[in-house]
mmCIF file of all heavy atoms in Angstrom:
data_model
loop_
_atom_site.group_PDB
_atom_site.id
_atom_site.type_symbol
_atom_site.label_atom_id
_atom_site.label_comp_id
_atom_site.label_asym_id
_atom_site.label_seq_id
_atom_site.Cartn_x
_atom_site.Cartn_y
_atom_site.Cartn_z
ATOM 1 N N GLU L 1 3.084 2.172 -19.248
ATOM 2 C CA GLU L 1 3.473 3.476 -18.714
ATOM 3 C C GLU L 1 3.537 3.398 -17.194
ATOM 4 O O GLU L 1 2.740 2.700 -16.553
ATOM 5 C CB GLU L 1 2.471 4.558 -19.131
ATOM 6 C CG GLU L 1 1.051 4.332 -18.639
ATOM 7 C CD GLU L 1 0.086 5.391 -19.138
ATOM 8 O OE1 GLU L 1 0.543 6.333 -19.813
ATOM 9 O OE2 GLU L 1 -1.133 5.272 -18.860
ATOM 10 N N GLN L 2 4.512 4.083 -16.628
ATOM 11 C CA GLN L 2 4.656 4.112 -15.179
ATOM 12 C C GLN L 2 3.582 5.007 -14.578
ATOM 13 O O GLN L 2 3.199 6.030 -15.158
ATOM 14 C CB GLN L 2 6.045 4.612 -14.777
ATOM 15 C CG GLN L 2 6.334 4.473 -13.286
ATOM 16 C CD GLN L 2 7.785 4.796 -12.936
ATOM 17 O OE1 GLN L 2 8.588 5.112 -13.809
ATOM 18 N NE2 GLN L 2 8.117 4.720 -11.661
ATOM 19 N N VAL L 3 3.091 4.632 -13.416
ATOM 20 C CA VAL L 3 2.054 5.398 -12.719
ATOM 21 C C VAL L 3 2.615 5.855 -11.381
ATOM 22 O O VAL L 3 3.004 5.034 -10.551
ATOM 23 C CB VAL L 3 0.787 4.538 -12.487
ATOM 24 C CG1 VAL L 3 -0.285 5.368 -11.792
ATOM 25 C CG2 VAL L 3 0.268 3.978 -13.795
ATOM 26 N N ILE L 4 2.670 7.156 -11.184
ATOM 27 C CA ILE L 4 3.142 7.705 -9.901
ATOM 28 C C ILE L 4 2.000 8.530 -9.316
ATOM 29 O O ILE L 4 1.942 9.750 -9.437
ATOM 30 C CB ILE L 4 4.413 8.551 -10.071
ATOM 31 C CG1 ILE L 4 5.487 7.746 -10.803
ATOM 32 C CG2 ILE L 4 4.931 9.003 -8.700
ATOM 33 C CD1 ILE L 4 6.754 8.522 -11.094
ATOM 34 N N ASP L 5 1.057 7.829 -8.736
ATOM 35 C CA ASP L 5 -0.142 8.444 -8.158
ATOM 36 C C ASP L 5 -0.107 8.188 -6.655
ATOM 37 O O ASP L 5 -0.327 7.052 -6.203
ATOM 38 C CB ASP L 5 -1.379 7.821 -8.804
ATOM 39 C CG ASP L 5 -2.657 8.553 -8.437
ATOM 40 O OD1 ASP L 5 -2.566 9.592 -7.759
ATOM 41 O OD2 ASP L 5 -3.743 8.072 -8.823
ATOM 42 N N LYS L 6 0.171 9.234 -5.881
ATOM 43 C CA LYS L 6 0.393 9.061 -4.437
ATOM 44 C C LYS L 6 -0.896 9.295 -3.641
ATOM 45 O O LYS L 6 -1.803 9.993 -4.075
ATOM 46 C CB LYS L 6 1.503 9.992 -3.959
ATOM 47 C CG LYS L 6 2.852 9.673 -4.596
ATOM 48 C CD LYS L 6 3.978 10.473 -3.971
ATOM 49 C CE LYS L 6 5.322 10.077 -4.569
ATOM 50 N NZ LYS L 6 6.460 10.814 -3.970
ATOM 51 N N ASN L 7 -0.907 8.714 -2.468
ATOM 52 C CA ASN L 7 -2.070 8.762 -1.578
ATOM 53 C C ASN L 7 -2.059 10.045 -0.733
ATOM 54 O O ASN L 7 -2.246 10.005 0.484
ATOM 55 C CB ASN L 7 -2.057 7.512 -0.683
ATOM 56 C CG ASN L 7 -3.308 7.349 0.134
ATOM 57 O OD1 ASN L 7 -4.407 7.667 -0.301
ATOM 58 N ND2 ASN L 7 -3.149 6.859 1.358
ATOM 59 N N THR L 8 -1.858 11.178 -1.382
ATOM 60 C CA THR L 8 -1.640 12.438 -0.656
ATOM 61 C C THR L 8 -2.860 12.906 0.138
ATOM 62 O O THR L 8 -2.721 13.572 1.169
ATOM 63 C CB THR L 8 -1.221 13.546 -1.629
ATOM 64 O OG1 THR L 8 -2.134 13.577 -2.734
ATOM 65 C CG2 THR L 8 0.181 13.289 -2.168
ATOM 66 N N ASP L 9 -4.062 12.566 -0.344
ATOM 67 C CA ASP L 9 -5.275 13.003 0.370
ATOM 68 C C ASP L 9 -5.746 11.956 1.390
ATOM 69 O O ASP L 9 -6.823 12.103 1.980
ATOM 70 C CB ASP L 9 -6.399 13.316 -0.617
ATOM 71 C CG ASP L 9 -6.737 12.123 -1.501
ATOM 72 O OD1 ASP L 9 -6.090 11.066 -1.351
ATOM 73 O OD2 ASP L 9 -7.634 12.254 -2.346
ATOM 74 N N LEU L 10 -4.938 10.896 1.581
ATOM 75 C CA LEU L 10 -5.230 9.829 2.549
ATOM 76 C C LEU L 10 -6.597 9.179 2.307
ATOM 77 O O LEU L 10 -7.286 8.765 3.249
ATOM 78 C CB LEU L 10 -5.138 10.351 3.982
ATOM 79 C CG LEU L 10 -3.741 10.754 4.466
ATOM 80 C CD1 LEU L 10 -3.804 11.317 5.873
ATOM 81 C CD2 LEU L 10 -2.791 9.561 4.415
ATOM 82 N N LYS L 11 -6.971 9.094 1.039
ATOM 83 C CA LYS L 11 -8.225 8.436 0.697
ATOM 84 C C LYS L 11 -8.169 6.951 1.053
ATOM 85 O O LYS L 11 -9.172 6.350 1.442
ATOM 86 C CB LYS L 11 -8.500 8.608 -0.802
ATOM 87 C CG LYS L 11 -9.781 7.936 -1.267
ATOM 88 C CD LYS L 11 -9.994 8.146 -2.767
ATOM 89 C CE LYS L 11 -11.260 7.444 -3.252
ATOM 90 N NZ LYS L 11 -11.466 7.633 -4.701
ATOM 91 N N TYR L 12 -6.976 6.365 0.936
ATOM 92 C CA TYR L 12 -6.809 4.935 1.212
ATOM 93 C C TYR L 12 -6.074 4.755 2.536
ATOM 94 O O TYR L 12 -5.100 5.467 2.830
ATOM 95 C CB TYR L 12 -6.070 4.267 0.056
ATOM 96 C CG TYR L 12 -6.819 4.436 -1.246
ATOM 97 C CD1 TYR L 12 -6.422 5.397 -2.186
ATOM 98 C CD2 TYR L 12 -7.946 3.671 -1.524
ATOM 99 C CE1 TYR L 12 -7.128 5.571 -3.371
ATOM 100 C CE2 TYR L 12 -8.651 3.840 -2.709
ATOM 101 C CZ TYR L 12 -8.244 4.792 -3.621
ATOM 102 O OH TYR L 12 -8.955 4.974 -4.782
ATOM 103 N N ARG L 13 -6.549 3.799 3.326
ATOM 104 C CA ARG L 13 -6.082 3.610 4.692
ATOM 105 C C ARG L 13 -5.301 2.298 4.846
ATOM 106 O O ARG L 13 -4.994 1.619 3.868
ATOM 107 C CB ARG L 13 -7.289 3.631 5.650
ATOM 108 C CG ARG L 13 -8.087 4.937 5.579
ATOM 109 C CD ARG L 13 -7.293 6.088 6.165
ATOM 110 N NE ARG L 13 -8.039 7.353 6.150
ATOM 111 C CZ ARG L 13 -7.621 8.456 6.749
ATOM 112 N NH1 ARG L 13 -6.454 8.443 7.389
ATOM 113 N NH2 ARG L 13 -8.327 9.561 6.691
ATOM 114 N N LEU L 14 -5.017 1.932 6.105
ATOM 115 C CA LEU L 14 -4.219 0.733 6.385
ATOM 116 C C LEU L 14 -4.844 -0.536 5.807
ATOM 117 O O LEU L 14 -4.134 -1.452 5.385
ATOM 118 C CB LEU L 14 -4.031 0.562 7.892
ATOM 119 C CG LEU L 14 -2.847 1.298 8.529
ATOM 120 C CD1 LEU L 14 -2.848 1.100 10.030
ATOM 121 C CD2 LEU L 14 -1.536 0.831 7.927
ATOM 122 N N ASP L 15 -6.178 -0.586 5.781
ATOM 123 C CA ASP L 15 -6.846 -1.770 5.240
ATOM 124 C C ASP L 15 -6.550 -1.970 3.760
ATOM 125 O O ASP L 15 -6.703 -3.069 3.225
ATOM 126 C CB ASP L 15 -8.359 -1.672 5.445
ATOM 127 C CG ASP L 15 -8.767 -1.814 6.905
ATOM 128 O OD1 ASP L 15 -7.925 -2.280 7.695
ATOM 129 O OD2 ASP L 15 -9.902 -1.453 7.255
ATOM 130 N N ASP L 16 -6.159 -0.898 3.089
ATOM 131 C CA ASP L 16 -5.878 -0.962 1.651
ATOM 132 C C ASP L 16 -4.397 -1.203 1.355
ATOM 133 O O ASP L 16 -4.022 -1.371 0.193
ATOM 134 C CB ASP L 16 -6.308 0.343 0.969
ATOM 135 C CG ASP L 16 -7.752 0.695 1.262
ATOM 136 O OD1 ASP L 16 -8.618 -0.146 1.005
ATOM 137 O OD2 ASP L 16 -8.003 1.804 1.776
ATOM 138 N N LEU L 17 -3.577 -1.212 2.396
ATOM 139 C CA LEU L 17 -2.135 -1.353 2.217
ATOM 140 C C LEU L 17 -1.764 -2.804 1.922
ATOM 141 O O LEU L 17 -2.204 -3.728 2.611
ATOM 142 C CB LEU L 17 -1.407 -0.875 3.479
ATOM 143 C CG LEU L 17 0.117 -0.979 3.489
ATOM 144 C CD1 LEU L 17 0.725 -0.150 2.367
ATOM 145 C CD2 LEU L 17 0.666 -0.546 4.841
ATOM 146 N N LYS L 18 -0.933 -3.008 0.904
ATOM 147 C CA LYS L 18 -0.523 -4.358 0.517
ATOM 148 C C LYS L 18 0.995 -4.437 0.347
ATOM 149 O O LYS L 18 1.663 -3.440 0.073
ATOM 150 C CB LYS L 18 -1.177 -4.763 -0.813
ATOM 151 C CG LYS L 18 -2.702 -4.821 -0.781
ATOM 152 C CD LYS L 18 -3.209 -5.941 0.099
ATOM 153 C CE LYS L 18 -4.730 -5.999 0.085
ATOM 154 N NZ LYS L 18 -5.248 -7.082 0.952
ATOM 155 N N GLY L 19 1.495 -5.649 0.504
ATOM 156 C CA GLY L 19 2.861 -5.959 0.127
ATOM 157 C C GLY L 19 2.815 -6.868 -1.097
ATOM 158 O O GLY L 19 1.744 -7.179 -1.617
ATOM 159 N N LEU L 20 3.980 -7.309 -1.550
ATOM 160 C CA LEU L 20 4.064 -8.200 -2.701
ATOM 161 C C LEU L 20 4.852 -9.450 -2.320
ATOM 162 O O LEU L 20 5.749 -9.389 -1.476
ATOM 163 C CB LEU L 20 4.770 -7.513 -3.877
ATOM 164 C CG LEU L 20 4.222 -6.166 -4.367
ATOM 165 C CD1 LEU L 20 5.074 -5.640 -5.502
ATOM 166 C CD2 LEU L 20 2.791 -6.309 -4.806
ATOM 167 N N SER L 21 4.527 -10.565 -2.954
ATOM 168 C CA SER L 21 5.255 -11.802 -2.692
ATOM 169 C C SER L 21 5.943 -12.287 -3.957
ATOM 170 O O SER L 21 5.576 -11.887 -5.069
ATOM 171 C CB SER L 21 4.310 -12.890 -2.164
ATOM 172 O OG SER L 21 3.633 -13.512 -3.225
ATOM 173 N N VAL L 22 6.912 -13.184 -3.796
ATOM 174 C CA VAL L 22 7.595 -13.771 -4.955
ATOM 175 C C VAL L 22 6.676 -14.704 -5.726
ATOM 176 O O VAL L 22 6.991 -15.127 -6.830
ATOM 177 C CB VAL L 22 8.873 -14.534 -4.528
ATOM 178 C CG1 VAL L 22 9.912 -13.591 -3.982
ATOM 179 C CG2 VAL L 22 8.541 -15.637 -3.529
ATOM 180 N N ASN L 23 5.505 -15.015 -5.135
ATOM 181 C CA ASN L 23 4.527 -15.858 -5.824
ATOM 182 C C ASN L 23 3.613 -15.042 -6.725
ATOM 183 O O ASN L 23 2.568 -15.532 -7.169
ATOM 184 C CB ASN L 23 3.697 -16.639 -4.797
ATOM 185 C CG ASN L 23 4.536 -17.623 -4.021
ATOM 186 O OD1 ASN L 23 5.383 -18.305 -4.592
ATOM 187 N ND2 ASN L 23 4.327 -17.694 -2.722
ATOM 188 N N LYS L 24 3.994 -13.783 -6.960
ATOM 189 C CA LYS L 24 3.272 -12.906 -7.897
ATOM 190 C C LYS L 24 1.865 -12.559 -7.400
ATOM 191 O O LYS L 24 0.906 -12.509 -8.176
ATOM 192 C CB LYS L 24 3.183 -13.538 -9.284
ATOM 193 C CG LYS L 24 4.516 -13.989 -9.886
ATOM 194 C CD LYS L 24 5.397 -12.836 -10.286
ATOM 195 C CE LYS L 24 6.613 -13.267 -11.086
ATOM 196 N NZ LYS L 24 7.582 -14.083 -10.364
ATOM 197 N N THR L 25 1.734 -12.310 -6.099
ATOM 198 C CA THR L 25 0.443 -11.924 -5.536
ATOM 199 C C THR L 25 0.604 -10.748 -4.579
ATOM 200 O O THR L 25 1.690 -10.521 -4.027
ATOM 201 C CB THR L 25 -0.201 -13.087 -4.757
ATOM 202 O OG1 THR L 25 0.704 -13.501 -3.703
ATOM 203 C CG2 THR L 25 -0.500 -14.266 -5.655
ATOM 204 N N PHE L 26 -0.487 -10.002 -4.390
ATOM 205 C CA PHE L 26 -0.538 -9.000 -3.335
ATOM 206 C C PHE L 26 -0.824 -9.722 -2.025
ATOM 207 O O PHE L 26 -1.637 -10.644 -1.968
ATOM 208 C CB PHE L 26 -1.641 -7.974 -3.610
ATOM 209 C CG PHE L 26 -1.325 -7.020 -4.723
ATOM 210 C CD1 PHE L 26 -1.813 -7.231 -6.000
ATOM 211 C CD2 PHE L 26 -0.530 -5.896 -4.490
ATOM 212 C CE1 PHE L 26 -1.516 -6.361 -7.037
ATOM 213 C CE2 PHE L 26 -0.222 -5.018 -5.514
ATOM 214 C CZ PHE L 26 -0.715 -5.247 -6.788
ATOM 215 N N ILE L 27 -0.151 -9.308 -0.953
ATOM 216 C CA ILE L 27 -0.331 -9.927 0.355
ATOM 217 C C ILE L 27 -0.491 -8.846 1.409
ATOM 218 O O ILE L 27 -0.202 -7.668 1.168
ATOM 219 C CB ILE L 27 0.883 -10.820 0.721
ATOM 220 C CG1 ILE L 27 2.184 -9.988 0.707
ATOM 221 C CG2 ILE L 27 0.981 -12.021 -0.194
ATOM 222 C CD1 ILE L 27 3.395 -10.742 1.204
ATOM 223 N N GLU L 28 -0.965 -9.246 2.581
ATOM 224 C CA GLU L 28 -1.053 -8.306 3.689
ATOM 225 C C GLU L 28 0.360 -7.901 4.104
ATOM 226 O O GLU L 28 1.248 -8.747 4.205
ATOM 227 C CB GLU L 28 -1.783 -8.928 4.879
ATOM 228 C CG GLU L 28 -3.224 -9.356 4.572
ATOM 229 C CD GLU L 28 -4.072 -8.211 4.046
ATOM 230 O OE1 GLU L 28 -3.964 -7.087 4.572
ATOM 231 O OE2 GLU L 28 -4.833 -8.439 3.085
ATOM 232 N N THR L 29 0.558 -6.610 4.335
ATOM 233 C CA THR L 29 1.904 -6.134 4.647
ATOM 234 C C THR L 29 2.389 -6.655 5.996
ATOM 235 O O THR L 29 1.603 -6.840 6.924
ATOM 236 C CB THR L 29 1.943 -4.600 4.644
ATOM 237 O OG1 THR L 29 3.287 -4.164 4.888
ATOM 238 C CG2 THR L 29 1.032 -4.011 5.702
ATOM 239 N N LYS L 30 3.693 -6.906 6.083
ATOM 240 C CA LYS L 30 4.304 -7.346 7.334
ATOM 241 C C LYS L 30 5.048 -6.199 8.027
ATOM 242 O O LYS L 30 5.649 -6.382 9.077
ATOM 243 C CB LYS L 30 5.283 -8.493 7.054
ATOM 244 C CG LYS L 30 4.619 -9.728 6.460
ATOM 245 C CD LYS L 30 5.641 -10.800 6.126
ATOM 246 C CE LYS L 30 4.978 -12.018 5.490
ATOM 247 N NZ LYS L 30 5.967 -13.052 5.111
ATOM 248 N N ALA L 31 5.001 -5.017 7.426
ATOM 249 C CA ALA L 31 5.741 -3.874 7.969
ATOM 250 C C ALA L 31 5.052 -3.322 9.216
ATOM 251 O O ALA L 31 3.825 -3.373 9.350
ATOM 252 C CB ALA L 31 5.849 -2.786 6.901
ATOM 253 N N ASP L 32 5.847 -2.789 10.115
ATOM 254 C CA ASP L 32 5.323 -2.098 11.298
ATOM 255 C C ASP L 32 4.918 -0.690 10.877
ATOM 256 O O ASP L 32 5.759 0.151 10.574
ATOM 257 C CB ASP L 32 6.404 -2.048 12.378
ATOM 258 C CG ASP L 32 5.908 -1.398 13.676
ATOM 259 O OD1 ASP L 32 4.714 -1.011 13.724
ATOM 260 O OD2 ASP L 32 6.713 -1.262 14.618
ATOM 261 N N MET L 33 3.623 -0.422 10.848
ATOM 262 C CA MET L 33 3.118 0.846 10.326
ATOM 263 C C MET L 33 2.791 1.855 11.421
ATOM 264 O O MET L 33 2.190 2.900 11.147
ATOM 265 C CB MET L 33 1.860 0.576 9.483
ATOM 266 C CG MET L 33 2.093 -0.319 8.285
ATOM 267 S SD MET L 33 3.373 0.338 7.196
ATOM 268 C CE MET L 33 2.617 1.869 6.671
ATOM 269 N N LEU L 34 3.184 1.574 12.660
ATOM 270 C CA LEU L 34 2.894 2.488 13.760
ATOM 271 C C LEU L 34 3.570 3.839 13.526
ATOM 272 O O LEU L 34 4.790 3.928 13.412
ATOM 273 C CB LEU L 34 3.377 1.884 15.087
ATOM 274 C CG LEU L 34 3.049 2.679 16.359
ATOM 275 C CD1 LEU L 34 1.528 2.776 16.540
ATOM 276 C CD2 LEU L 34 3.708 2.032 17.574
ATOM 277 N N GLY L 35 2.767 4.892 13.420
ATOM 278 C CA GLY L 35 3.298 6.237 13.249
ATOM 279 C C GLY L 35 3.771 6.565 11.847
ATOM 280 O O GLY L 35 4.349 7.633 11.619
ATOM 281 N N VAL L 36 3.553 5.659 10.877
ATOM 282 C CA VAL L 36 4.019 5.872 9.507
ATOM 283 C C VAL L 36 2.931 6.581 8.696
ATOM 284 O O VAL L 36 1.767 6.174 8.703
ATOM 285 C CB VAL L 36 4.379 4.528 8.829
ATOM 286 C CG1 VAL L 36 4.797 4.762 7.374
ATOM 287 C CG2 VAL L 36 5.492 3.835 9.600
ATOM 288 N N SER L 37 3.300 7.638 8.001
ATOM 289 C CA SER L 37 2.358 8.362 7.149
ATOM 290 C C SER L 37 2.105 7.587 5.866
ATOM 291 O O SER L 37 3.035 7.085 5.225
ATOM 292 C CB SER L 37 2.905 9.753 6.803
ATOM 293 O OG SER L 37 2.082 10.386 5.841
ATOM 294 N N LEU L 38 0.852 7.517 5.458
ATOM 295 C CA LEU L 38 0.480 6.815 4.235
ATOM 296 C C LEU L 38 0.432 7.749 3.023
ATOM 297 O O LEU L 38 0.118 7.301 1.911
ATOM 298 C CB LEU L 38 -0.883 6.137 4.408
ATOM 299 C CG LEU L 38 -0.965 5.018 5.460
ATOM 300 C CD1 LEU L 38 -2.382 4.488 5.544
ATOM 301 C CD2 LEU L 38 0.011 3.898 5.154
#
């Protein structure tokens, strides 16, 4: 089942943000998050 559970209450912060790799793992994000709402 698909899960659409958003971080609306900002419980999770930048330290919890992940990206994905083609090697099937979670990785540290490479995106510029300056000023971006989580």
